[in-house]
């Protein structure tokens, strides 16, 4: 209910080719850049499958599937790039903040 199904479909489709994922463009396309911090945290908690309070590398690999079941898995290279962008304290995981 936070993001538009049409925006999600377009964003996931735009990065359906292997090695094409660009997290900045993806998050802009799904509309997260325009959302409040509270809404972003709602999406974070959906992606945090094990409810640890963090999104770990293994969960990031399936980030597109968190938005839609027919999304592809990210490659190891794409996953590591996304982790590096979000892991501000270097602990190997992304916190909600």
């Amino acid at each position: 209910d936070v993001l538009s199904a049409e925006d999600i479909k377009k964003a996931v489709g735009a990065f359906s080719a292997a090695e094409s994922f660009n997290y900045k463009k993806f998050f802009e396309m799904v509309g997260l850049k325009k959302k409040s911090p509270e809404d972003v945290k709602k999406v974070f908690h959906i992606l945090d499958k094990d409810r640890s309070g963090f999104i770990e590398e293994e969960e990031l690999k399936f980030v597109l599937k968190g938005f839609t079941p027919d999304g592809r898995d990210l490659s190891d290279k794409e996953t590591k790039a996304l982790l590096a962008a979000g892991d501000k304290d270097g602990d190997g995981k992304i916190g909600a903040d």
Side-chain angles (χ1 to χ4, degrees):
D1 65 333
V2 176
L3 302 173
S4 136
E6 189 60 31
D7 288 346
I8 291 170
K9 184 177 179 180
K10 283 181 189 171
V12 171
F15 301 104
S16 61
E19 302 300 337
S20 67
F21 186 71
N22 178 310
Y23 62 88
K24 287 183 181 179
K25 286 184 183 176
F26 177 79
F27 292 128
E28 186 175 321
M29 289 178 76
V30 294
L32 275 175
K33 291 218 177 230
K34 297 181 231 160
K35 296 296 180 184
S36 69
E38 293 80 24
D39 282 343
V40 171
K41 283 187 179 184
K42 285 180 191 174
V43 173
F44 176 91
H45 291 298
I46 291 168
L47 299 174
D48 178 19
K49 298 291 185 194
D50 66 1
R51 308 234 185 276
S52 66
F54 298 94
I55 299 176
E56 293 87 4
E57 187 171 347
E58 191 58 30
E59 290 169 317
L60 283 179
K61 183 175 209 66
F62 307 113
V63 72
L64 295 179
K65 288 183 178 168
F67 286 92
T68 182
D70 57 354
R72 71 173 175 88
D73 295 347
L74 295 183
S75 70
D76 288 345
K77 181 179 174 185
E78 290 169 317
T79 302
K80 288 183 186 323
L82 181 54
L83 179 62
D87 180 14
K88 298 302 181 197
D89 60 6
D91 65 355
K93 53 192 175 186
I94 299 172
D97 294 333

